[in-house]
Amino acid sequence: MTASSKDESEYDRLIQRFIDHEGNALVCGGAGCGKTTAALRKAALLADKGLKFKHSKALFLSFANATIDRIAQHAPGIIDSSQHWSLALNTYHGFAWAILRNHGYLLGAPRNVTILSPGEENAFRANLNDLEPANSDDFIELFINSGHVSFDYFAGLANEVLENNPILLKAYADAFPIIFLDEFQDTTDSQWALMKTLGKHSRLIALGDPDQRIYDHVVGASPYRFEEFVAEYQLEKIDLSGWNWRSPEGSITKFGQDVLAGSLEEEYADVDFIPLDHRPLFRLKGQVLKAIKRLDNAGKGKSIAILTPSNALSGQVYDFFLEETPPLPKLYLDIHVGKDEAFAASIFVATVMQSPDDSNASLAYLSRALAHYTRTRSSKFSKSGRDEAEKLDREAVRLDGGTTRRELKSTTHLRKLLIESLAKARTGHPLADFLTTVSAATRSEYGPLASLARKTRLVNLITRGGELESHLAHSWRRAGSYEDAERDMRDAVVTYQMQSAKTGSRDLVVMTIHRAKGREFEEVFVYEERYQPFVPEKVVDLTSARYAMNVAVTRARSRATILTPRSRPSRLFTVDTSSDGQR
């Protein structure tokens, strides 16, 4: 929408009412309505007035590090540089982890608590007595006994720390007398419980949009979070849903709202439909190249996202764009997908780099490492996967014991990989040696090794001049080997997990719709294929898919393009898409 002077006047009146209000508040509105700007203006006013103590700060919590980064970039235009100290930015996970890291021992855990990475969590599940998902008691016992804690338990355990220690709770409330809760509709029960505990002493400002609630599948998510907030507190409610400052000139927001309502018009300014026939990826790549040229000509930043319904389809887009497909050139892009398997694969490659020789002892260690990879690469651990891991473990025992029975196919190919790595990937240049080992694994005739190597492309944990490369290079200079490579890679994985929502440095990125939440781009391409659609055929209720599509298109500032098969267009779009080009 285009805001008129009356619209702006009413908007300013609402914002001023919010800023002046001294209690709890709920600010609702869609993408680009100015919720974050209003929150920062309120934080600036609080800094002007003076917070409770010299060390007190306004705390802003969100889900994605990318969102926090965007707020950090936006803040200097609103909060004077002399007041930056008064604003603390963090993710919900990061804030809860800080409480656990410092005070988890109050629950009986060891003083040095550590994060259980998703891969290690998968391994923990895989080593239980059955294939059923581990329940919360298993993870609580693991935390108390060993200090290892999974991401999903940060908030619940942090809340228990504060609830059981009123003096500590008051100290946190004094440090953060006002807390802004971004993307409030997506908080889980445990995160909401932690905020309510803090809300006994701190003011809570919830920011969100019920129409962007796309995490119903997450354990503890609730469609009633706003109602629960209203029922819990005396508060001021500010509704900014009538404004859109991200893309005010077009009709992107209206399209998103019409998708939610299930009633579309024939045309929308700045929302294009591209029907796909054969070679859909080729067509997508061509459209993205046109967008790059369009943004160059307009003098706008080349910020483009390709959003897909699945990690698998994001991976296909990533692979295709990196190929040269005449007359279209390669396109370099970032990818943000579920990376558990890529992390596990990188740890295995580091284990190969660490191996000092091709002895049976080294092969036994690699066989166990491959078994560990099989257990940690996914949360879905099948019986066949368990059987394969156990077979690799038995082979490791045989190698250690020197038994002469015929070796497994896996051992033959592990030996070939190790010999090539020892011959070609011990130059003392960590990034080059890592890539050489990956390349050798990619050429392996043993399927699991070749597949594992391809997965490492999804993460770039070793970068030129990066911290991990520095650690590996130090090991090489000290010992003439990568003796700590496996440990260093595991540490890098945990660090990456705590920062996994960062968008990366490229202007072009591919990710799932869910991972785009909280981000914004100049242009967005929403892409599906016939066998990887936005809405699978078996899905009857389109509600969740409508919410997701609304989130997807409203990530765009200037244009959203939807690519859907001509022969079977998505059920989300009820009007004819048979004509080519713009709708």
Side-chain angles (χ1 to χ4, degrees):
M1 63 172 281
T2 303
S4 67
S5 58
K6 181 180 178 181
D7 290 325
E8 292 184 25
S9 174
E10 173 64 12
Y11 182 85
D12 289 342
R13 186 186 68 79
L14 283 172
I15 295 300
Q16 196 60 51
R17 194 176 92 199
F18 163 63
I19 291 173
D20 293 341
H21 180 67
E22 294 187 352
N24 301 306
L26 173 61
V27 183
C28 296
C33 73
K35 298 186 295 293
T36 300
T37 299
L40 290 173
R41 285 178 61 185
K42 189 173 183 71
L45 179 66
L46 290 168
D48 275 340
K49 289 183 175 180
L51 293 167
K52 187 171 184 180
F53 298 105
K54 287 185 177 180
H55 69 279
S56 296
K57 296 176 183 288
L59 175 63
F60 194 105
L61 297 177
S62 193
F63 282 95
N65 278 304
T67 305
I68 296 300
D69 286 350
R70 182 164 55 84
I71 294 164
Q73 293 167 3
H74 194 41
I78 299 171
I79 299 178
D80 187 81
S81 59
S82 64
Q83 300 170 333
H84 285 177
W85 61 267
S86 66
L87 181 65
L89 305 173
N90 210 334
T91 62
Y92 289 98
H93 275 98
F95 177 66
W97 166 241
I99 295 173
L100 273 188
R101 183 184 59 206
N102 292 314
H103 311 292
Y105 68 90
L106 294 172
L107 298 178
R111 286 209 172 244
N112 294 322
V113 297
T114 57
I115 297 171
L116 193 68
S117 73
E120 291 166 332
E121 184 178 332
N122 294 337
F124 175 67
R125 285 195 178 96
N127 283 309
L128 297 175
N129 291 329
D130 55 56
L131 291 174
E132 293 302 315
N135 62 41
S136 59
D137 290 342
D138 295 318
F139 283 98
I140 299 301
E141 183 178 352
L142 180 68
F143 173 68
I144 298 300
N145 291 338
S146 66
H148 298 306
V149 59
S150 167
F151 286 86
D152 291 341
Y153 293 88
F154 284 6
L157 290 168
N159 183 50
E160 192 174 340
V161 168
L162 297 185
E163 277 193 320
N164 293 347
N165 298 275
I167 296 176
L168 184 62
L169 170 60
K170 189 63 168 57
Y172 271 92
D174 287 342
F176 306 113
I178 183 167
I179 305 175
F180 296 93
L181 310 175
D182 192 34
E183 304 284 7
F184 181 68
Q185 71 279 351
D186 292 325
T187 51
T188 63
D189 290 340
S190 59
Q191 289 163 343
W192 171 223
L194 174 60
M195 294 306 113
K196 282 194 294 183
T197 297
L198 287 160
K200 293 175 183 178
H201 305 289
S202 299
R203 269 192 284 166
L204 301 182
I205 310 295
L207 313 170
D209 178 12
D211 289 341
Q212 295 191 56
R213 182 174 51 81
I214 61 172
Y215 287 99
D216 287 348
H217 60 284
V218 173
V219 175
S222 170
Y224 308 110
R225 194 66 76 216
F226 287 100
E227 291 85 346
E228 291 168 349
F229 190 76
V230 171
E232 187 74 24
Y233 300 105
Q234 294 270 334
L235 54 80
E236 184 80 2
K237 184 174 181 180
I238 306 293
D239 185 358
L240 302 179
S241 58
W243 286 270
N244 168 30
W245 308 104
R246 178 178 295 172
S247 51
E249 301 302 326
S251 55
I252 292 172
T253 299
K254 185 179 188 311
F255 174 78
Q257 292 298 312
D258 288 352
V259 166
L260 286 173
S263 177
L264 299 183
E265 297 177 359
E266 288 292 332
E267 291 187 4
Y268 294 85
D270 300 323
V271 178
D272 297 344
F273 272 75
I274 306 293
L276 298 171
D277 294 308
H278 67 289
R279 301 187 73 189
L281 284 169
F282 186 89
R283 189 74 187 281
L284 170 66
K285 191 174 187 180
Q287 291 296 321
V288 170
L289 284 164
K290 289 180 181 178
I292 292 171
K293 184 176 181 180
R294 182 164 56 239
L295 292 175
D296 269 341
N297 291 339
K300 296 182 177 179
K302 293 180 290 186
S303 171
I304 299 173
I306 303 164
L307 308 183
T308 74
S310 69
N311 285 327
L313 189 53
S314 289
Q316 290 176 27
V317 171
Y318 179 77
D319 288 341
F320 187 83
F321 273 47
L322 291 179
E323 296 175 4
E324 191 160 348
T325 47
L328 305 181
K330 292 181 181 180
L331 273 179
Y332 293 94
L333 69 169
D334 278 336
I335 182 170
H336 299 287
V337 296
K339 297 177 178 178
D340 289 5
E341 194 164 354
F343 293 138
S346 296
I347 291 170
F348 176 82
V349 173
T351 307
V352 176
M353 293 172 62
Q354 179 175 298
S355 300
D357 51 45
D358 61 348
S359 65
N360 277 0
S362 292
L363 287 168
Y365 194 82
L366 285 185
S367 192
R368 289 192 179 91
L370 192 56
H372 185 72
Y373 165 78
T374 303
R375 293 187 178 98
T376 60
R377 64 183 179 180
S378 173
S379 60
K380 298 176 181 177
F381 194 56
S382 64
K383 184 178 184 305
S384 61
R386 171 167 287 179
D387 290 345
E388 180 64 21
E390 289 176 350
K391 185 166 64 173
L392 288 163
D393 281 334
R394 288 194 298 271
E395 178 70 351
V397 171
R398 182 193 72 80
L399 288 163
D400 277 335
T403 307
T404 57
R405 68 172 173 81
R406 186 167 63 88
E407 69 182 23
L408 295 181
K409 179 182 179 181
S410 59
T411 304
T412 301
H413 290 284
L414 283 172
R415 179 180 284 108
K416 289 181 180 179
L417 171 62
L418 184 52
I419 289 172
E420 185 168 353
S421 178
L422 288 165
K424 300 179 180 178
R426 299 296 189 276
T427 67
H429 300 286
L431 178 57
D433 290 342
F434 179 86
L435 295 175
T436 298
T437 303
V438 168
S439 180
T442 303
R443 296 192 300 273
S444 175
E445 296 175 5
Y446 183 51
L449 280 181
S451 174
L452 172 157
R454 288 191 293 270
K455 295 296 182 184
T456 63
R457 293 190 302 170
L458 298 180
V459 291
N460 298 311
L461 295 175
I462 302 183
T463 54
R464 188 76 65 195
E467 185 175 355
L468 177 56
E469 186 188 45
S470 176
H471 281 303
L472 293 171
H474 178 71
S475 281
W476 184 268
R477 289 193 298 270
R478 184 187 71 247
S481 69
Y482 297 118
E483 61 180 7
D484 298 320
E486 182 183 4
R487 184 200 64 194
D488 289 342
M489 185 66 76
R490 288 182 189 278
D491 290 345
V493 165
V494 172
T495 300
Y496 189 100
Q497 290 289 345
M498 291 299 289
Q499 301 174 342
S500 61
K502 288 188 179 294
T503 59
S505 58
R506 295 196 186 280
D507 297 321
L508 178 60
V509 60
V510 58
M511 66 182 80
T512 64
I513 291 171
H514 283 74
R515 288 181 179 272
K517 188 74 179 295
R519 295 170 166 88
E520 61 180 68
F521 305 90
E522 199 61 45
E523 292 204 22
V524 166
F525 290 82
V526 192
Y527 175 74
E528 69 169 348
E529 290 186 359
R530 179 170 181 174
Y531 298 107
Q532 297 189 72
F534 300 135
V535 188
E537 285 187 25
K538 64 181 180 180
V539 173
V540 176
D541 185 355
L542 301 185
T543 303
S544 294
R546 293 191 190 284
Y547 279 126
M549 185 56 63
N550 174 51
V551 167
V553 296
T554 56
R555 300 308 92 203
R557 288 191 290 267
S558 62
R559 186 188 298 260
T561 302
I562 296 168
L563 299 98
T564 185
R566 186 191 300 272
S567 61
R568 190 179 294 178
S570 175
R571 286 184 285 152
L572 293 175
F573 315 125
T574 57
V575 298
D576 181 31
T577 59
S578 59
S579 61
D580 201 352
Q582 290 195 6
R583 194 170 176 194

